Amino acid sequence: MYDERFLRRAIALSAEALTRPGCEPFAAVVVKEGRIVGEGINRSQLTHDPTSHGETEAIREACRNLASVDLRGCDLYSSCEPCALCVAAMEIAGIARLYYAAGLGQSNAALAALPEAARFPIDSGRLRAQCGLPVEERAMPARQALAGEAVAVIRAWADKARAAR
């Protein structure tokens, strides 16, 4: 259920980025049963990590705090509509609901005034389209090799996990 306090917290965290070198104004919180279990702010430039978005950082902290990678039943509140990378992380973690403030079009318009050198060019539309394509149809060239060896390792892990239960 939507609670404005949590969206306001995500926006407040995004505003904190204005005072933190290497941070960008995108933040999120993960909420479980009415309390914040994870917070995150975009630290991509600071950590040299292109996956350090507000949403992924909030998910990472929530998982650490809950000692689980299962966030089913949790909600995510974001200062901005999540990109495809963050949507994928939310799906993998099991986030139940998303609430966000600025839309991608709105944030892109706000960032359009930056000189090209100051922007890291993330084309959210292209990212979403590429993620939905089979690997052989994507713009990035890809080649499969050594599948048998990799599958053997995966099978060994599955056998070990099955035996432990």
Side-chain angles (χ1 to χ4, degrees):
M1 180 143 212
Y2 171 73
D3 188 327
E4 187 174 293
R5 295 174 299 160
F6 300 127
L7 192 53
R8 289 193 180 282
R9 176 62 183 155
I11 294 168
L13 285 170
S14 73
E16 285 181 26
L18 303 175
T19 64
R20 295 183 184 188
C23 294
E24 297 176 14
F26 304 99
V29 297
V30 174
V31 175
K32 182 174 184 170
E33 298 172 353
R35 69 179 182 91
I36 294 174
V37 294
E39 295 185 337
I41 188 168
N42 184 308
R43 292 183 173 93
S44 291
Q45 298 298 323
L46 179 68
T47 60
H48 308 288
D49 178 357
T51 68
S52 177
H53 294 189
E55 297 88 348
T56 58
E57 292 299 323
I59 289 168
R60 288 172 182 149
E61 183 174 89
C63 289
R64 283 190 302 270
N65 288 339
L66 297 173
S68 176
V69 295
D70 183 355
L71 298 182
R72 285 179 289 185
C74 294
D75 297 335
L76 189 139
Y77 290 77
S78 180
S79 64
C80 184
E81 179 183 351
C83 71
L85 170 101
C86 295
V87 170
M90 291 164 56
E91 287 288 331
I92 290 167
I95 295 291
R97 285 170 292 280
L98 164 67
Y99 303 102
Y100 65 95
L104 283 175
Q106 294 168 312
S107 64
N108 287 341
L111 296 172
L114 286 173
E116 186 65 34
R119 282 188 279 146
F120 186 76
I122 297 174
D123 181 341
S124 295
R126 181 179 183 278
L127 180 61
R128 286 179 191 226
Q130 288 295 305
C131 289
L133 292 174
V135 68
E136 65 275 0
E137 294 178 25
R138 295 181 196 146
M140 179 188 298
R143 175 182 158 211
Q144 184 178 18
L146 304 176
E149 292 176 31
V151 170
V153 173
I154 294 167
R155 283 192 180 124
W157 178 85
D159 292 342
K160 185 177 176 181
R162 188 173 29 256
R165 291 183 184 201

Coordinates of all heavy atoms in Angstrom, one line a residue, residues 89-137:
A89 N 16.7 -6.1 -11.5 CA 17.1 -6.4 -10.1 C 15.8 -6.5 -9.3 O 15.8 -7.4 -8.4 CB 18.0 -5.3 -9.6
M90 N 14.8 -5.7 -9.5 CA 13.6 -5.7 -8.7 C 12.9 -7.1 -8.9 O 12.4 -7.7 -8.0 CB 12.7 -4.5 -9.0 CG 13.3 -3.2 -8.5 SD 12.5 -1.8 -9.3 CE 10.8 -2.0 -8.9
E91 N 12.8 -7.5 -10.2 CA 12.2 -8.7 -10.5 C 12.9 -9.9 -9.9 O 12.3 -10.8 -9.4 CB 12.1 -8.9 -12.0 CG 11.0 -8.0 -12.7 CD 9.6 -8.5 -12.4 OE1 9.4 -9.7 -12.2 OE2 8.7 -7.6 -12.4
I92 N 14.2 -9.9 -10.0 CA 15.0 -11.0 -9.5 C 14.8 -11.1 -8.0 O 14.7 -12.2 -7.4 CB 16.5 -10.8 -9.8 CG1 16.7 -11.1 -11.3 CG2 17.4 -11.8 -9.0 CD1 18.1 -10.6 -11.9
A93 N 14.8 -10.0 -7.3 CA 14.7 -10.0 -5.8 C 13.2 -10.2 -5.4 O 13.0 -10.6 -4.2 CB 15.1 -8.6 -5.3
G94 N 12.3 -10.1 -6.2 CA 10.9 -10.3 -5.9 C 10.1 -9.1 -5.3 O 9.1 -9.3 -4.7
I95 N 10.6 -7.9 -5.6 CA 9.9 -6.7 -5.2 C 8.4 -6.8 -5.6 O 8.2 -7.1 -6.8 CB 10.6 -5.5 -5.7 CG1 12.0 -5.3 -5.1 CG2 9.7 -4.2 -5.5 CD1 12.1 -5.0 -3.7
A96 N 7.5 -6.5 -4.7 CA 6.1 -6.7 -5.0 C 5.5 -5.5 -5.8 O 4.7 -5.7 -6.7 CB 5.3 -6.9 -3.7
R97 N 5.9 -4.3 -5.3 CA 5.3 -3.1 -5.9 C 6.3 -2.0 -6.0 O 7.2 -1.9 -5.2 CB 4.1 -2.5 -5.0 CG 2.8 -3.4 -5.2 CD 1.8 -3.0 -4.1 NE 2.3 -3.3 -2.7 CZ 2.2 -4.6 -2.2 NH1 1.7 -5.5 -2.9 NH2 2.6 -4.8 -1.0
L98 N 6.1 -1.1 -7.0 CA 7.0 0.0 -7.3 C 6.2 1.3 -7.2 O 5.1 1.4 -7.7 CB 7.6 -0.1 -8.7 CG 8.3 1.2 -9.3 CD1 9.5 1.6 -8.5 CD2 8.6 1.0 -10.7
Y99 N 6.8 2.3 -6.5 CA 6.2 3.6 -6.5 C 7.4 4.6 -6.8 O 8.5 4.4 -6.3 CB 5.7 4.0 -5.1 CG 4.6 3.0 -4.6 CD1 4.9 2.0 -3.7 CD2 3.3 3.1 -5.1 CE1 4.0 1.1 -3.2 CE2 2.4 2.1 -4.7 CZ 2.7 1.2 -3.7 OH 1.8 0.3 -3.3
Y100 N 7.1 5.5 -7.8 CA 8.2 6.4 -8.2 C 7.7 7.8 -8.4 O 6.5 8.0 -8.5 CB 8.9 5.9 -9.4 CG 8.0 5.9 -10.7 CD1 8.0 6.9 -11.6 CD2 7.2 4.8 -10.9 CE1 7.2 6.9 -12.7 CE2 6.4 4.8 -12.1 CZ 6.4 5.8 -12.9 OH 5.6 5.8 -14.0
A101 N 8.7 8.8 -8.3 CA 8.3 10.2 -8.5 C 8.5 10.6 -9.9 O 7.6 10.5 -10.7 CB 9.2 11.0 -7.5
A102 N 9.7 11.1 -10.3 CA 9.9 11.5 -11.7 C 9.9 10.4 -12.7 O 10.4 9.3 -12.4 CB 11.3 12.2 -11.8
G103 N 9.2 10.6 -13.8 CA 9.2 9.7 -14.9 C 10.5 9.7 -15.7 O 11.3 10.7 -15.6
L104 N 10.8 8.7 -16.5 CA 12.1 8.7 -17.3 C 12.1 9.9 -18.2 O 13.2 10.6 -18.4 CB 12.2 7.4 -18.0 CG 12.7 6.2 -17.2 CD1 12.7 5.0 -18.1 CD2 14.1 6.5 -16.6
G105 N 11.0 10.2 -18.9 CA 10.9 11.4 -19.8 C 11.2 12.7 -19.0 O 11.9 13.5 -19.5
Q106 N 10.7 12.8 -17.8 CA 10.9 14.0 -17.1 C 12.4 14.1 -16.6 O 12.9 15.2 -16.7 CB 10.0 14.0 -15.8 CG 8.5 14.1 -16.1 CD 7.6 13.8 -15.0 OE1 7.9 12.8 -14.2 NE2 6.6 14.6 -14.7
S107 N 13.0 13.1 -16.2 CA 14.4 13.1 -15.8 C 15.3 13.4 -17.0 O 16.2 14.1 -16.9 CB 14.8 11.9 -15.0 OG 14.7 10.7 -15.8
N108 N 15.0 12.7 -18.1 CA 15.8 12.9 -19.3 C 15.7 14.4 -19.7 O 16.7 15.0 -20.1 CB 15.3 12.0 -20.4 CG 15.7 10.6 -20.2 OD1 16.6 10.3 -19.4 ND2 15.1 9.7 -20.9
A109 N 14.5 15.0 -19.7 CA 14.4 16.4 -20.0 C 15.2 17.3 -19.1 O 15.8 18.3 -19.5 CB 12.9 16.8 -20.0
A110 N 15.2 17.0 -17.8 CA 15.9 17.8 -16.8 C 17.4 17.7 -17.1 O 18.2 18.6 -16.8 CB 15.6 17.3 -15.4
L111 N 17.9 16.5 -17.5 CA 19.3 16.3 -17.7 C 19.8 16.8 -19.1 O 21.0 16.9 -19.4 CB 19.6 14.8 -17.6 CG 19.4 14.2 -16.2 CD1 19.6 12.7 -16.2 CD2 20.3 14.8 -15.2
A112 N 18.8 17.1 -20.0 CA 19.2 17.4 -21.4 C 20.0 18.7 -21.4 O 20.8 18.9 -22.4 CB 17.9 17.6 -22.2
A113 N 19.9 19.6 -20.4 CA 20.7 20.8 -20.4 C 22.2 20.6 -20.1 O 23.0 21.5 -20.3 CB 20.1 21.8 -19.4
L114 N 22.5 19.4 -19.6 CA 23.9 19.1 -19.3 C 24.7 19.0 -20.6 O 24.3 18.5 -21.6 CB 24.1 17.8 -18.5 CG 23.7 17.8 -17.1 CD1 23.7 16.4 -16.6 CD2 24.6 18.7 -16.3
P115 N 26.0 19.5 -20.6 CA 26.8 19.2 -21.7 C 27.1 17.7 -21.9 O 27.1 17.0 -20.9 CB 28.1 20.0 -21.4 CG 28.1 20.4 -20.0 CD 26.7 20.2 -19.5
E116 N 27.3 17.3 -23.1 CA 27.4 15.8 -23.4 C 28.5 15.2 -22.5 O 28.4 14.1 -22.0 CB 27.7 15.6 -24.9 CG 27.7 14.1 -25.3 CD 26.4 13.4 -25.1 OE1 25.4 14.0 -25.3 OE2 26.4 12.2 -24.8
A117 N 29.6 15.9 -22.3 CA 30.8 15.4 -21.5 C 30.4 15.2 -20.1 O 31.0 14.3 -19.4 CB 31.9 16.4 -21.6
A118 N 29.4 15.8 -19.6 CA 28.9 15.7 -18.2 C 27.9 14.6 -18.0 O 27.6 14.2 -16.9 CB 28.4 17.0 -17.7
R119 N 27.4 14.1 -19.1 CA 26.3 13.0 -19.0 C 26.9 11.7 -19.4 O 27.7 11.6 -20.4 CB 25.2 13.3 -20.0 CG 24.3 14.4 -19.5 CD 23.1 14.5 -20.4 NE 23.5 15.3 -21.6 CZ 23.0 15.1 -22.8 NH1 22.1 14.2 -23.1 NH2 23.4 15.9 -23.8
F120 N 26.5 10.7 -18.7 CA 26.8 9.3 -19.1 C 25.6 8.9 -19.9 O 24.5 8.8 -19.4 CB 27.0 8.4 -17.9 CG 27.5 7.0 -18.3 CD1 28.8 6.8 -18.7 CD2 26.6 6.0 -18.3 CE1 29.2 5.5 -19.1 CE2 27.0 4.7 -18.7 CZ 28.3 4.5 -19.1
P121 N 25.8 8.6 -21.2 CA 24.7 8.4 -22.1 C 23.9 7.1 -21.9 O 24.3 6.1 -22.5 CB 25.3 8.5 -23.5 CG 26.7 8.1 -23.3 CD 27.1 8.5 -21.9
I122 N 23.0 7.1 -21.0 CA 22.1 5.9 -20.8 C 20.8 6.1 -21.6 O 20.1 7.0 -21.3 CB 21.8 5.6 -19.4 CG1 23.1 5.3 -18.6 CG2 20.8 4.4 -19.3 CD1 22.9 5.2 -17.1
D123 N 20.6 5.4 -22.6 CA 19.4 5.5 -23.4 C 18.5 4.4 -22.9 O 18.5 3.2 -23.2 CB 19.7 5.2 -24.9 CG 18.5 5.3 -25.8 OD1 17.4 5.2 -25.3 OD2 18.7 5.5 -27.0
S124 N 17.6 4.8 -22.0 CA 16.7 3.9 -21.3 C 15.8 3.1 -22.3 O 15.5 1.9 -22.1 CB 15.8 4.7 -20.3 OG 16.7 5.2 -19.3
G125 N 15.3 3.8 -23.3 CA 14.5 3.1 -24.3 C 15.2 2.0 -25.0 O 14.7 0.8 -25.1
R126 N 16.4 2.3 -25.4 CA 17.3 1.3 -26.1 C 17.6 0.1 -25.1 O 17.6 -1.1 -25.5 CB 18.6 1.9 -26.6 CG 19.5 0.9 -27.3 CD 20.7 1.6 -27.9 NE 21.6 0.7 -28.6 CZ 22.4 -0.2 -28.0 NH1 22.6 -0.2 -26.7 NH2 23.2 -1.0 -28.8
L127 N 17.9 0.5 -23.9 CA 18.2 -0.5 -22.9 C 17.1 -1.5 -22.7 O 17.3 -2.7 -22.7 CB 18.6 0.2 -21.5 CG 19.0 -0.7 -20.4 CD1 20.2 -1.5 -20.7 CD2 19.2 0.1 -19.1
R128 N 15.9 -1.0 -22.5 CA 14.7 -1.8 -22.4 C 14.5 -2.7 -23.6 O 14.2 -3.9 -23.4 CB 13.5 -1.0 -22.1 CG 13.4 -0.4 -20.7 CD 12.2 0.5 -20.5 NE 12.3 1.2 -19.3 CZ 11.4 1.3 -18.4 NH1 10.2 0.8 -18.6 NH2 11.6 2.0 -17.3
A129 N 14.7 -2.2 -24.7 CA 14.4 -3.0 -26.0 C 15.5 -4.1 -26.1 O 15.1 -5.2 -26.4 CB 14.5 -2.1 -27.2
Q130 N 16.7 -3.8 -25.8 CA 17.8 -4.7 -25.9 C 17.7 -5.9 -24.9 O 17.9 -7.0 -25.2 CB 19.2 -4.1 -25.8 CG 19.6 -3.2 -26.9 CD 19.8 -4.0 -28.2 OE1 20.6 -5.0 -28.2 NE2 19.1 -3.7 -29.3
C131 N 17.3 -5.5 -23.7 CA 17.1 -6.5 -22.7 C 16.0 -7.6 -23.0 O 16.1 -8.7 -22.6 CB 16.8 -5.9 -21.3 SG 18.2 -5.0 -20.6
G132 N 15.0 -7.2 -23.8 CA 13.9 -8.0 -24.1 C 14.2 -8.9 -25.3 O 13.4 -9.8 -25.6
L133 N 15.3 -8.7 -26.0 CA 15.6 -9.5 -27.2 C 16.4 -10.8 -26.9 O 17.2 -10.8 -25.9 CB 16.5 -8.7 -28.2 CG 15.8 -7.5 -28.8 CD1 16.8 -6.7 -29.6 CD2 14.6 -7.9 -29.7
P134 N 16.2 -11.8 -27.7 CA 17.1 -13.0 -27.5 C 18.5 -12.6 -27.8 O 18.7 -11.7 -28.6 CB 16.5 -14.0 -28.6 CG 15.2 -13.5 -28.9 CD 15.2 -12.0 -28.7
V135 N 19.5 -13.2 -27.2 CA 20.9 -12.8 -27.3 C 21.3 -12.7 -28.8 O 22.1 -11.7 -29.1 CB 21.8 -13.8 -26.5 CG1 21.9 -15.1 -27.1 CG2 23.2 -13.2 -26.3
E136 N 20.9 -13.5 -29.7 CA 21.3 -13.4 -31.0 C 20.8 -12.3 -31.8 O 21.2 -11.9 -32.9 CB 21.1 -14.8 -31.8 CG 19.6 -15.1 -32.0 CD 19.0 -15.8 -30.8 OE1 19.7 -16.1 -29.8 OE2 17.8 -16.2 -30.8
E137 N 19.7 -11.6 -31.3 CA 19.1 -10.4 -31.9 C 19.6 -9.1 -31.4 O 19.2 -8.1 -31.9 CB 17.6 -10.6 -31.8 CG 17.0 -11.7 -32.6 CD 15.5 -11.8 -32.5 OE1 14.8 -10.8 -32.2 OE2 15.0 -13.0 -32.6

